[in-house]
Amino acid sequence: MGALVRAALVLTLLEPACLLTQEPRGRPTVAPAPSLHVQFDPWRMNLTWACGDNTTAVQCGMWTRKRGPVTMRLQKLRCHCAFPAAVLHQGATFSVTANVGPRPVTEELDFANPGGQGTAARNVSCLIYRADFMNCTWARGPAAPENVQYFLHIRDLQSGSTRECPYYLRDAKATHVGCHLQGATEFRSEIYILVNGTSPSAGIQFFDDRLILKTIEIYDPPGNITVHCNASTCLVQWDTPRIRVFLSNLEMEYQLDIHRQVEVSGGQGNQYTFPKPLPRAKHTVRMRAADSRVLEWGPWSQPVEFGSEEWLSTAAFVSMVMLGTLACALVFLYLFYRFVGVPIPRVKDKVNNDYLTDDEIIWEKFTPPAGKGDTEEIFSVEEVEESTAKV
């Protein structure tokens, strides 16, 4: 009897525990999201992911600090997408959205610039000149080790061709700090540059950028500058400078320095007319050129002189003729009044005390000789009053 009671009590205490360990009925289990195994190749700028029989990618995207979000829609059965113009040295976030069976899946991948902070090349800049030459320069990163070495790679974004710098410029420690190359005319309109580095002491970050070539090209000065002047105007003419790609006259802009700076559109046919300046001993003009859409001015040409020697000889001749004519006229007038002309009455000098003497008549000088003068008789007339007689 006691054993039966103890068994009933144990069953009563174990029933709630059994209820707690049982799985709830009717609730489905959730399987973990499948991974797409997203990977990114920074040199090829290619984003890839795993493709299965039941996986269909819908879109891929990228976010960078310089360009913001970029999204591309994908075709079916595609397992990669490319970002050839991405600038990544500040980091990026990539994303892929795909349908795995009936279920949409989005996976993100954060990309960081590998290497130590402050080891990448700084102040990177490039310049195209004389149509076919390009120079790029940079400075050593402030945190880069002494044994760092940098390398420049260039990719044409239109053709996809790549090349490494053929000739490096070195500093005192033999570190590459610049690049000189020939063949810039082979590039189309835009390039991607990458300056990466190596060191046995530490990891080196890279620097990359996109360059629009028309914004970094400096044109040579116009050639064959000539100036022709007539009586009223002067005409300046020149030849278009050599440039990397063909541009129409409307896309060219010029500056002329003729005492004041003048900007001239190439649409005027490589010529400029201005009023002829007053004659001067010497006059010069110089020019420089640029793309009218960018206005990155090139160097000035050598000054071209005009209007100097010819004007000096003419002016000297005219001056001598005028001076000779004036001298002859003065000599002629002097001789005429000296020998032929009537004396000119003089103005009386009333300041001198002798001016009265000149006007006096001395009568003694005009006394006639005796016997030849007229005798003057003098009569005296006396008035006599008549007396009155008394009777």
Side-chain angles (χ1 to χ4, degrees):
M1 182 68 181
L4 184 60
V5 173
R6 286 196 298 270
L9 181 62
V10 170
L11 290 175
T12 303
L13 294 174
L14 289 177
E15 185 176 0
C18 294
L19 293 175
L20 291 174
T21 58
Q22 289 180 353
E23 293 183 0
R25 297 177 181 178
R27 180 179 297 176
T29 59
V30 179
S35 174
L36 298 175
H37 302 289
V38 179
Q39 296 181 343
F40 177 70
D41 184 347
W43 173 240
R44 293 182 175 84
M45 299 290 184
N46 202 28
L47 186 68
T48 60
W49 55 89
C51 286
D53 295 337
N54 60 343
T55 302
T56 304
V58 178
Q59 70 177 23
C60 63
M62 176 189 66
W63 181 92
T64 61
R65 189 176 300 178
K66 186 172 183 178
R67 297 189 63 185
V70 177
T71 303
M72 291 187 293
R73 302 288 297 180
L74 298 175
Q75 297 177 354
K76 293 182 178 181
L77 304 179
R78 189 172 180 181
C79 301
H80 66 90
C81 59
F83 301 92
V87 176
L88 303 174
H89 66 272
Q90 294 179 326
T93 299
F94 298 93
S95 64
V96 177
T97 299
N99 293 325
V100 181
R103 191 175 165 190
V105 177
T106 298
E107 187 171 323
E108 291 186 346
L109 173 67
D110 291 327
F111 173 80
N113 193 343
Q117 190 70 24
T119 58
R122 300 293 179 89
N123 302 326
V124 181
S125 63
C126 295
L127 178 70
I128 295 177
Y129 63 98
R130 294 182 183 175
D132 198 38
F133 298 94
M134 186 171 78
N135 281 352
C136 295
T137 59
W138 58 84
R140 176 196 297 262
E146 293 293 328
N147 55 7
V148 67
Q149 191 58 280
Y150 296 104
F151 302 93
L152 173 67
H153 305 269
I154 304 172
R155 178 191 295 123
D156 190 316
L157 293 180
Q158 277 68 42
S159 66
S161 61
T162 61
R163 66 169 73 177
E164 185 183 346
C165 174
Y167 179 74
Y168 285 104
L169 308 177
R170 295 173 172 84
D171 62 7
K173 298 180 180 180
T175 302
H176 298 164
V177 291
C179 171
H180 172 76
L181 63 87
Q182 186 176 1
T185 51
E186 298 176 7
F187 299 139
R188 304 287 180 84
S189 60
E190 196 171 3
I191 60 175
Y192 170 83
I193 63 171
L194 171 69
V195 182
N196 58 4
T198 60
S199 171
S201 304
I204 306 300
Q205 291 186 327
F206 68 87
F207 173 87
D208 62 341
D209 200 2
R210 293 173 56 190
L211 300 179
I212 300 175
L213 298 184
K214 68 180 180 181
T215 64
I216 64 171
E217 184 175 2
I218 300 297
Y219 296 159
D220 286 345
N224 193 26
I225 302 173
T226 58
V227 184
H228 302 282
C229 297
N230 56 24
S232 58
T233 60
C234 291
L235 175 65
V236 184
Q237 293 178 302
W238 59 88
D239 292 339
T240 303
R242 184 183 175 219
I243 54 180
R244 190 181 54 85
V245 295
F246 172 77
L247 293 180
S248 66
N249 285 338
L250 295 177
E251 296 174 290
M252 295 294 297
E253 192 84 7
Y254 301 96
Q255 278 189 348
L256 284 77
D257 185 16
I258 315 172
H259 293 294
R260 57 188 174 88
Q261 207 170 83
V262 180
E263 291 193 10
V264 181
S265 170
Q268 297 187 16
N270 287 6
Q271 63 182 20
Y272 173 68
T273 303
F274 61 98
K276 183 178 180 181
L278 295 175
R280 290 179 175 87
K282 184 179 290 186
H283 215 70
T284 61
V285 58
R286 60 177 186 164
M287 293 185 62
R288 60 181 180 175
D291 189 323
S292 61
R293 299 163 297 182
V294 181
L295 293 183
E296 188 71 29
W297 294 106
W300 288 104
S301 67
Q302 293 296 322
V304 176
E305 297 184 1
F306 66 97
S308 57
E309 299 297 333
E310 179 182 355
W311 180 85
L312 280 176
S313 58
T314 304
F317 175 77
V318 172
S319 299
M320 291 178 63
V321 170
M322 293 178 63
L323 289 175
T325 303
L326 180 61
C328 292
L330 292 175
V331 171
F332 176 77
L333 289 175
Y334 173 76
L335 294 176
F336 178 81
Y337 284 112
R338 176 70 176 81
F339 297 103
V340 181
V342 179
I344 299 174
R346 294 177 299 172
V347 179
K348 295 179 181 181
D349 186 3
K350 294 187 178 183
V351 177
N352 253 321
N353 292 331
D354 297 337
Y355 78 95
L356 294 175
T357 306
D358 296 339
D359 295 338
E360 284 186 356
I361 299 176
I362 303 175
W363 294 101
E364 288 80 359
K365 294 182 179 181
F366 295 94
T367 304
K372 292 184 179 181
D374 294 332
T375 302
E376 181 181 0
E377 295 182 358
I378 301 174
F379 296 90
S380 61
V381 180
E382 181 178 355
E383 182 179 356
V384 179
E385 294 182 358
E386 186 176 325
S387 62
T388 306
K390 294 182 180 181
V391 180

